[in-house]
Amino acid sequence: MGEDARRQFAVGDVLLVSCPPTPTRVVHATPFDITVAWPWAEIDPESAYRWNGHRAIPRTERLHEWSGLFRTVPDPRHLQAGDFCTVGIPETRVRVIDIGHYDPPADVGWLPRPHTMVIVVPVDHPRHPHAEAEGDTIDLESAAPLRIERVAGG
């Protein structure tokens, strides 16, 4: 995504976000979440952090909490370590609550390193002081085939 595209979003914007389902496998499962091999990023060998190439996805949404953008098929409640599934984002309307711009790109443990990260919550999420902690991050430089469309300004 070019510099103009990175700067087109602002806090308060409503976005329509999606990502086509991509095959992966479950590497770990607990009663609370599953961990999948992340199909769109590679480990950054130069990073100060030791990301293992995995990402956790909650099995269920907790009361008054959002479980994030990414979903699996089958439902994570039915998956165990070793199972195959797809991971993606069904078309979801979200509101931007924060934006981080990084120059140089942020060292987060994976490649490509992000220049811009947008924190979002569901469009109907209640606004309160701790909303950022409940948000999910969209890495605009992600290798994931994200579709992001601004549908309303803040």
Side-chain angles (χ1 to χ4, degrees), residues 27 35-38 42-43 49-56 109-110:
V27 294
T35 303
V36 297
W38 203 239
E42 61 183 85
I43 295 170
Y49 306 102
R50 296 293 158 230
W51 181 58
N52 63 5
H54 303 157
R55 182 165 171 170
W110 62 79

Side-chain angles (χ1 to χ4, degrees), residues 13 27 34 39 60 64 66 74 93 111 120 126 139:
D13 283 353
V27 294
I34 62 167
T60 61
H64 304 296
W66 178 45
R93 284 184 187 270
L111 296 172
V120 299
D139 171 0

Side-chain angles (χ1 to χ4, degrees), residues 28-84:
H28 185 70
T30 73
F32 307 104
D33 56 37
I34 62 167
T35 303
V36 297
W38 203 239
W40 300 293
E42 61 183 85
I43 295 170
D44 182 350
E46 307 286 318
S47 177
Y49 306 102
R50 296 293 158 230
W51 181 58
N52 63 5
H54 303 157
R55 182 165 171 170
I57 296 175
R59 285 191 183 267
T60 61
E61 290 195 20
R62 294 166 183 94
L63 187 62
H64 304 296
E65 288 185 25
W66 178 45
S67 62
L69 288 165
F70 286 92
R71 301 284 185 256
T72 61
V73 174
D75 186 293
R77 291 175 292 185
H78 305 295
L79 292 169
Q80 297 300 323
D83 289 347
F84 288 90

